[in-house]
Amino acid sequence: MSFPSQESLQKYAELVVRVGLNLRAGQRLVINNPSTRGVLLHTAPLVREIARAAYRAGARYVDVLWGDEALLKARVQEAPRDSFDEFSDWQIKAISEMLEHDGAHLTIRSNNPDLMNGEDAEIVDQIQKVYLQKYAEFSQKIGQNLINWLVIAAAGPVWAARVFPDLEPAEAEKRLWEAIFSITRVDQPDPVAAWEKHVKELRSRSEYMNAKQYAALHYTAPGTDLTVGLPPGHFWNSAGSTAQNGIFYIANMPTEEIFTLPHKDQINGYVSASMPLSYSGSLMEGFSLTFENGHVVKATAERNEAVLQKLVNADEGASSLGEVALVPHGSPIAQSGLLYYDPLIDENAASHLALGRAYKFTLKGAENLSDEEFKQRGGNVSMVHVDFMIGSGEMDIDGLRTDGATEPVMRQGEWAFDV
Ligand code: ZN
Ligand code: ZN
């Protein structure tokens, strides 16, 4: 019997369309994976179920951009060395057109985390930069919370082999699907009800933090002593928000975080990553960042330090932070003890920060500010947004009140307050 069953894929597809995207009758849907320039071919059985579920929910039109990692690699290895600024704009146009027609956007990730390992970091970086510039308009729309969008994962052979290196290929892929169905609650008798309960719990955490309006958070753990200022009006988000098109949606499945933005000029101290980070096809391991007045002044890594250096130097904002997210160490993803080598899932295993762009919807009244106005209020602007994990069972976090007093937010990786 093949795995996953048609039935599980259908349950997953229904959850994605009805709960995650909350697709409204009459909307269009574009299915994509920006990081591989299209959704990967091996995910087609899931893509087809999602298209069916979308049409059943009243979607007017579903369009899919297909991508292929082998093609991306072929280009890096074989294309003329002076050709990496080439880009065909049709993809951007296709997405923009979908969004203009009341579209929603779904990303399905199933990436090979080591795709670009050993390739020329300069070329990989250049391709990434051109792509980010072209996608800037779309990223901006996401930051303004204009539309309902969602990022999910699907198992794939190469990715599964990375997560379960000791298993036979078929068994590894089966285990990865099972893990995905477990952390997205697809395997529960009533996944929709399970999500409603989960969303409510996360929301009461974010409401507590919103009422506190701490001036800063102070993180301590082995290798970490970091103070992150929070701008006045910062807004803690959690699973689910209402887009400007009026639709309540959940941007990530799974999601275990509550998150807001830091003040881009008020980050001081040092922080060590608690998990490796896969970025642009390279895995960075054992890395630490030192901040002064909001900017990285030192970046070291045991593996792929060159990629990390390129990342923090991608543009002015890439050396500052755009997201502060809290995830308890008891999260089901952390407790599974697995490393997924994909930020979508790994970021929900641990408290994390993101280098680069802040989401405007994490600052009250900032959704439609210009970049300049947003920066004046402490928001970071950049082409990149890359989450990296810092939380562990050894991390303490304190909230600094405006009167100078401190209150515990997390102790040894767990929430230190009741809601
Ligand atoms: Zn996050
Ligand atoms: Zn993020």
Side-chain angles (χ1 to χ4, degrees):
M1 209 187 101
S2 72
F3 198 91
S5 67
Q6 195 80 6
E7 193 200 338
S8 327
L9 287 182
Q10 278 169 3
K11 267 177 93 177
Y12 194 20
E14 285 291 333
L15 190 70
V16 162
V17 168
R18 304 267 175 190
V19 176
L21 288 167
N22 193 13
L23 205 69
R24 173 171 63 195
Q27 275 200 295
R28 286 191 183 190
L29 174 64
V30 58
I31 304 176
N32 184 20
N33 179 4
S35 62
T36 51
R37 316 302 183 261
V39 60
L40 298 175
L41 299 169
H42 63 254
T43 65
L46 175 64
V47 171
R48 292 175 193 129
E49 288 303 334
I50 290 171
R52 284 184 176 279
Y55 286 125
R56 281 197 298 268
R60 296 283 298 173
Y61 187 56
V62 179
D63 207 358
V64 182
L65 302 180
W66 294 104
D68 181 50
E69 289 182 319
L71 282 175
L72 299 176
K73 193 150 178 142
R75 184 178 181 208
V76 171
Q77 291 177 338
E78 309 288 352
R81 304 293 90 177
D82 63 352
S83 69
F84 297 108
D85 287 338
E86 298 278 340
F87 192 90
S88 62
D89 285 329
W90 69 268
Q91 276 209 340
I92 307 294
K93 282 184 194 148
I95 295 170
S96 303
E97 207 188 295
M98 288 297 274
L99 301 190
E100 276 159 27
H101 287 85
D102 191 18
H105 188 274
L106 172 67
T107 296
I108 304 178
R109 292 180 63 86
S110 189
N111 300 21
N112 171 6
D114 297 310
L115 182 68
M116 294 302 173
N117 244 357
E119 302 300 337
D120 188 330
E122 206 75 43
I123 291 173
V124 173
D125 180 63
Q126 198 185 349
I127 292 175
Q128 183 73 0
K129 234 179 198 165
V130 171
Y131 148 74
L132 287 170
Q133 279 161 359
K134 298 290 182 183
Y135 263 80
E137 189 191 332
F138 173 62
S139 311
Q140 199 143 10
K141 286 187 171 134
I142 296 295
Q144 290 174 314
N145 206 16
L146 280 181
I147 59 153
N148 44 334
W149 56 279
L150 169 64
V151 185
I152 62 161
V158 186
W159 181 28
R162 189 71 173 92
V163 181
F164 300 103
D166 301 330
L167 299 181
E168 293 294 315
E171 184 60 21
E173 214 174 324
K174 181 171 184 273
R175 284 284 298 280
L176 185 54
W177 270 121
E178 284 170 347
I180 290 169
F181 290 152
S182 162
I183 60 185
T184 56
R185 298 170 169 77
V186 171
D187 64 354
Q188 297 198 13
D190 187 347
V192 175
W195 270 93
E196 274 167 10
K197 184 165 167 274
H198 181 52
V199 168
K200 219 170 128 188
E201 277 172 20
L202 288 171
R203 176 160 288 192
S204 37
R205 294 279 170 204
S206 48
E207 279 168 0
Y208 172 94
M209 291 297 283
N210 278 329
K212 289 286 180 186
Q213 281 292 306
Y214 289 123
L217 295 181
H218 181 218
Y219 295 79
T220 47
T224 295
D225 186 345
L226 184 75
T227 302
V228 179
L230 303 174
H234 67 268
F235 184 75
W236 288 91
N237 289 253
S238 60
S241 63
T242 303
Q244 292 201 37
N245 66 7
I247 296 176
F248 181 85
Y249 70 102
I250 293 164
N252 289 340
M253 284 181 150
T255 179
E256 302 288 338
E257 63 177 343
I258 70 165
F259 65 99
T260 189
L261 85 170
H263 193 297
K264 69 176 178 65
D265 302 321
Q266 297 174 0
I267 306 153
N268 288 287
Y270 55 93
V271 62
S272 295
S274 56
M275 295 165 82
L277 167 66
S278 172
Y279 174 70
S280 177
S282 303
L283 197 69
M284 292 172 265
E285 286 179 279
F287 66 94
S288 297
L289 301 169
T290 304
F291 288 87
E292 270 176 36
N293 300 322
H295 285 282
V296 172
V297 292
K298 194 173 147 203
T300 58
E302 283 159 20
R303 193 170 162 218
N304 279 319
E305 187 173 289
V307 182
L308 181 66
Q309 301 280 1
K310 290 242 183 294
L311 170 60
V312 299
N313 291 309
D315 59 21
E316 197 203 327
S319 66
S320 188
L321 299 177
E323 179 184 334
V324 174
L326 303 177
V327 179
H329 189 61
S331 106
I333 299 168
Q335 293 307 306
S336 78
L338 293 169
L339 185 60
Y340 291 90
Y341 304 98
D342 190 299
L344 166 68
I345 301 180
D346 288 330
E347 76 158 337
N348 286 297
S351 289
H352 55 273
L353 303 168
L355 285 164
R357 182 175 63 252
Y359 295 111
K360 286 178 178 164
F361 60 79
T362 55
L363 184 62
K364 272 214 166 113
E367 283 180 353
N368 295 318
L369 291 186
S370 71
D371 285 353
E372 264 326 299
E373 292 166 325
F374 186 52
K375 278 159 88 170
Q376 277 164 17
R377 288 188 57 190
N380 194 33
V381 173
S382 170
M383 285 189 304
V384 301
H385 176 102
V386 180
D387 298 282
F388 62 99
M389 276 46 83
I390 61 168
S392 70
E394 296 176 289
M395 175 164 274
D396 288 345
I397 304 175
D398 286 293
L400 271 63
R401 297 194 334 203
T402 40
D403 66 4
T406 64
E407 292 173 350
V409 172
M410 281 190 157
R411 283 292 174 267
Q412 301 201 302
E414 301 298 340
W415 294 115
F417 59 87
D418 293 321
V419 287

